[in-house]
Amino acid sequence: MDLNLHLVRYLVAVVDEGHFGRAAARLLVSGPALSKQIRTLERRLGVELIDRSAHPVVPTEAGRRFLPDARAALAAADRAVAGIEAYRRDLHGVLRLGFMSAATGTHTRRILELLQREAPAVSVQLVQLPWHEQVSAVRDRTVDAALVRPPVADPGGLRFDLVRHEPRVVALPAGHRLAARSAVTLADLDGEPHVDDDRSDRVWVRWWACDPRPSGAPVRYGPVVHTMDELLEVVGRGAAIAITGGSVADSFRHPDVAFVPVLDVDPCPISLCTLDGEQSTLVAALRRATRAVQDTFGAGS
């Protein structure tokens, strides 16, 4: 029998949500219509795929055997469609480049200038991404490429081309005892609450907070922030500090925040992230421009 991927997508949504109502809302269909579609798939396969008596609902043994390959089929279908979408964007000369709160300054401008020389008709759409979506936006093709900062929890299927290394700085309240220093060490920051983020992976949060500290002192976490503007407001009112990239100090200004270099912490690599095996000619041109800038100006400039 031919497998109807539309029905498979419905099944996956129900399993992922563990609830028919939530899955129906996610798929923008009614609950009865969704249940009917799942029954249709089960009749075609001749087995029950969902244990409706469980709360939350879970796949049956047949469903558990079916789902891994079914998910792979959906992913392959999505990649095939995305490949055509990339081809269409190539035809129209559109490239979507994601970035977080602060881009890479002159490096980004140099990369885009080289890209424009190679592909004069290209239109680059810059898309600002939330911190926790810097890689997922590439995976789901919300953007064609993104300028990302570490750590990346799951690099599988992705390609990273180094753009540059940037020093890390600490954002401090302007009246803080360390704000007038020319530089600080991590030991100077021990005991200071660091901003938190409940949307990003904990590995990401701890990496930026330099947790664990060389001294062994535990890192205390303060208010939760999701954007750079929120971060600056929290730091400005003295509720926490934040270790961040040096380009943030170049891109953002706040009258109540001072940025001070941190001496004993590794710099932050910034990379161009694309899908491994991406066939877009514009993405290929962007990678070449990135390598050319890195070769010319080096990773630390």
Side-chain angles (χ1 to χ4, degrees):
M1 61 167 286
D2 291 331
L3 188 62
N4 185 324
L5 293 182
H6 188 65
L7 300 180
V8 173
R9 202 174 297 277
Y10 280 4
L11 172 70
V12 168
V14 171
V15 171
D16 287 348
E17 295 293 340
H19 190 276
F20 275 87
R22 287 194 298 270
R26 168 176 152 185
L27 296 166
L28 302 178
V29 299
S30 69
L34 176 58
S35 181
K36 182 178 179 181
Q37 297 283 31
I38 299 298
R39 289 293 188 192
T40 298
L41 178 62
E42 290 175 325
R43 282 197 304 272
R44 292 185 181 182
L45 292 174
V47 293
E48 287 195 353
L49 299 169
I50 295 290
D51 181 355
R52 292 164 175 79
S53 65
H55 300 286
V57 297
V58 295
T60 62
E61 177 60 28
R64 285 191 289 273
R65 295 190 183 195
F66 175 76
L67 278 165
D69 288 335
R71 289 183 187 274
L74 284 178
D78 289 342
R79 286 194 300 271
V81 172
I84 294 299
E85 291 176 349
Y87 170 71
R88 290 173 59 192
R89 288 195 300 275
D90 276 355
L91 287 180
H92 293 92
V94 176
L95 186 141
R96 301 161 304 171
L97 178 62
F99 68 99
M100 290 187 293
S101 303
T104 62
T106 56
H107 278 63
T108 300
R109 291 192 291 274
R110 290 163 179 164
I111 290 168
L112 295 182
E113 286 169 2
L114 287 180
L115 175 64
Q116 201 79 53
R117 290 180 197 172
E118 181 173 344
V122 67
S123 172
V124 178
Q125 297 177 355
L126 294 175
V127 181
Q128 185 165 352
L129 301 172
W131 297 331
H132 66 285
E133 293 181 6
Q134 61 166 349
V135 169
S136 63
V138 176
R139 288 194 192 280
D140 63 22
R141 294 185 180 268
T142 299
V143 296
D144 303 296
L147 297 166
V148 305
R149 292 167 169 80
V152 175
D154 179 14
L158 300 172
R159 168 173 166 170
F160 299 90
D161 292 277
L162 180 65
V163 175
R164 62 166 297 201
H165 287 96
E166 68 172 2
R168 283 194 269 177
V169 300
V170 60
L172 298 166
H176 194 278
R177 61 185 173 82
L178 301 173
R181 292 265 197 98
S182 59
V184 297
T185 65
L186 288 175
D188 294 325
L189 304 178
D190 285 348
E192 299 280 354
H194 193 282
V195 295
D196 203 350
D197 179 359
D198 59 359
R199 294 179 183 168
S200 297
D201 185 276
R202 292 312 296 175
V203 174
W204 164 276
V205 174
R206 295 185 67 190
W207 191 87
W208 280 100
C210 299
D211 180 7
R213 295 285 171 82
S215 65
V219 175
R220 294 194 297 122
Y221 289 94
V224 168
V225 299
H226 301 128
T227 69
M228 190 54 64
D229 288 333
E230 292 175 2
L231 182 151
L232 293 177
E233 287 301 318
V234 164
V235 172
R237 71 171 189 262
I241 66 168
I243 299 172
T244 185
S247 57
V248 172
D250 298 329
S251 303
F252 291 85
R253 294 288 183 270
H254 191 290
D256 299 320
V257 176
F259 294 97
V260 180
V262 183
L263 292 176
D264 55 342
V265 62
D266 291 336
C268 168
I270 303 175
S271 301
L272 179 74
C273 174
T274 54
L275 287 174
D276 196 17
E278 172 63 66
Q279 299 178 3
S280 165
T281 58
L282 292 180
V283 169
L286 181 63
R287 289 169 175 166
R288 288 193 293 272
T290 299
R291 288 196 300 273
V293 168
Q294 215 275 356
D295 290 344
T296 301
F297 299 100
S301 57

